[in-house]
Amino acid sequence: MRADELVTLGRTRLRVSRLGLGLASVGGLFAPVSDDEAATVIDAAWDAGVRLFDTAPVYGYGRSEVRAGAALANRPRAAYVLCTKVGRLIEPGGPDTQPIWADPPAGLGPRLDYSYAGVLRCVEESLARLRLDRIDVLHVHDPEQDFPTAVREAYRALADLRDAGTVGAVSIGVNHASVAARFLREAAPPGPDCVLLAGRYNLLDQSGLAELLPLCTERGVAVMAAGVYQSGLLADPRPGAPHGYGAVPRRLQWRLRAWREVCDAFDVPMLAAAVQFPLGHPAVTSVVVGARSAQEVTGSVDVFNHPVPARFWRAVKAAGLLPEQAPTPEE
């Protein structure tokens, strides 16, 4: 596999690159990013053959979508897949603010809304920010915030938009594998086409393997694996680094050391193992990573394309770092 390899997204007609770019960072996740820097990130991904881009209204309270639309405006529309999300409206005085966004637009904030009408409004506003007339993949974002409304009204709105051709594929964007599995089971047929699973199928957390991934394989639902660097912990485990951990828990410190020892023994960069591991599972179509600079983009492409021998994965399992039942890329 290579980062720029194009594959079919599950049962849809969409073609996506194996490596996708998540656009939270260009919306100002943890640190501010300028318009020019954001454009440079997206341009670098395009030049590397990345053709899958994932954003959301809440990323920088609209900034990520605006910047994505501007950077992709002159690209052939049929040449890339753009994903965004519903469930939060961005409006003056929106109360669902999050401290992780640096320097968000003054006076604006998100408000949770999974209602049918709210979703239609959210899509209309996203299309305006993105400068598009259709969205390739639309995720219900964090449906656990209001699960009954999300699985009924939000899903019905997305299914209707899919039928109308405004949306190419219906998806859910989740941080909890159990939430995704429940959504797939309770949504009206034919159900979502995809799942964006963040942080639950990577080197440190394989909780998606127990129920969700087998269910997706059974139903032909494509999985995009995000959070493969565990919010940056695998890239920079120092205390206080922007990975979401004030202090890294001891159990993770031990696992990080153990992973580093095996990686060093085989001369495999840890990030290469991190970005390639999820694609061993047949349900996983693509891996989505974030970047706030062109250098981070090229770094992820390089580690994605770095050779990892089959014996490395066997050694990892022998060390107890992955469960035996976890499929690995060489299988």
Side-chain angles (χ1 to χ4, degrees):
M1 290 183 293
R2 289 185 54 83
D4 59 359
E5 178 188 0
L6 296 179
V7 294
T8 301
L9 185 66
R11 62 195 183 204
T12 77
R13 296 181 179 180
L14 300 170
R15 299 276 290 172
V16 296
S17 54
R18 285 292 194 180
L19 183 65
L21 180 66
L23 300 177
S25 292
V26 304
L29 180 66
F30 298 131
V33 173
S34 70
D35 290 345
D36 288 343
E37 289 169 330
T40 299
V41 169
I42 295 171
D43 287 346
W46 186 274
D47 292 343
V50 173
R51 295 295 183 268
L52 172 63
F53 300 91
D54 183 81
T55 183
V58 76
Y59 295 170
Y61 305 166
R63 273 201 178 132
S64 176
E65 288 187 320
V66 169
R67 289 167 170 173
L72 294 170
N74 295 321
R75 311 292 188 187
R77 184 62 187 90
Y80 65 89
V81 168
L82 191 285
C83 315
T84 192
K85 304 176 180 72
V86 298
R88 291 178 174 91
L89 291 164
I90 307 303
E91 56 190 22
D96 188 33
T97 55
Q98 301 170 336
I100 57 177
W101 305 109
D103 190 29
L108 292 181
R111 176 175 63 82
L112 291 172
D113 192 337
Y114 295 91
S115 70
Y116 189 99
V119 165
L120 295 185
R121 176 185 156 193
C122 186
V123 171
E124 181 179 359
E125 293 175 357
S126 286
L127 287 171
R129 286 189 289 261
L130 292 164
R131 309 183 194 180
L132 298 175
D133 60 2
R134 63 181 172 84
I135 295 168
D136 298 306
V137 179
L138 195 54
H139 311 287
V140 180
H141 201 185
D142 298 334
E144 72 278 3
Q145 297 287 340
D146 182 2
F147 191 90
T149 308
V151 78
R152 291 195 302 267
E153 295 195 34
Y155 171 74
R156 181 164 57 89
L158 267 58
D160 287 349
L161 291 168
R162 177 175 56 191
D163 291 343
T166 305
V167 172
V170 172
S171 182
I172 47 178
V174 295
N175 296 301
H176 307 286
S178 59
V179 171
R182 181 185 172 194
F183 199 105
L184 290 179
R185 290 196 166 100
E186 295 189 18
D193 306 294
C194 319
V195 173
L196 176 69
L197 180 64
R200 297 299 174 259
Y201 197 58
N202 58 41
L203 300 187
L204 299 176
D205 186 330
Q206 299 90 48
S207 55
L209 184 62
E211 180 184 15
L212 177 61
L213 292 178
L215 181 62
C216 289
T217 301
E218 173 189 325
R219 297 192 176 190
V221 173
V223 175
M224 295 177 245
V228 296
Y229 297 155
Q230 194 72 7
S231 300
L233 181 62
L234 292 171
D236 186 357
R238 294 174 303 165
H243 45 52
Y245 295 91
V248 180
R250 288 186 179 180
R251 60 180 179 81
L252 290 185
Q253 291 180 21
W254 174 86
R255 290 183 67 80
L256 285 167
R257 285 195 298 270
W259 269 107
R260 193 170 296 111
E261 289 173 2
V262 179
C263 287
D264 289 347
F266 286 85
D267 197 24
V268 170
M270 190 183 300
L271 295 189
V275 78
Q276 293 181 39
F277 162 67
L279 289 160
H281 199 285
V284 179
T285 302
S286 300
V287 168
V288 178
V289 300
R292 67 178 63 254
S293 68
Q295 292 74 23
E296 289 185 4
V297 172
T298 55
S300 285
V301 171
D302 288 345
V303 294
F304 190 103
N305 294 335
H306 190 284
V308 177
R311 55 195 177 89
F312 168 81
W313 298 112
R314 293 195 290 270
V316 163
K317 289 185 176 181
L321 294 174
L322 287 177
E324 280 295 329
Q325 67 270 27
T328 50
E330 92 286 355
E331 295 174 346

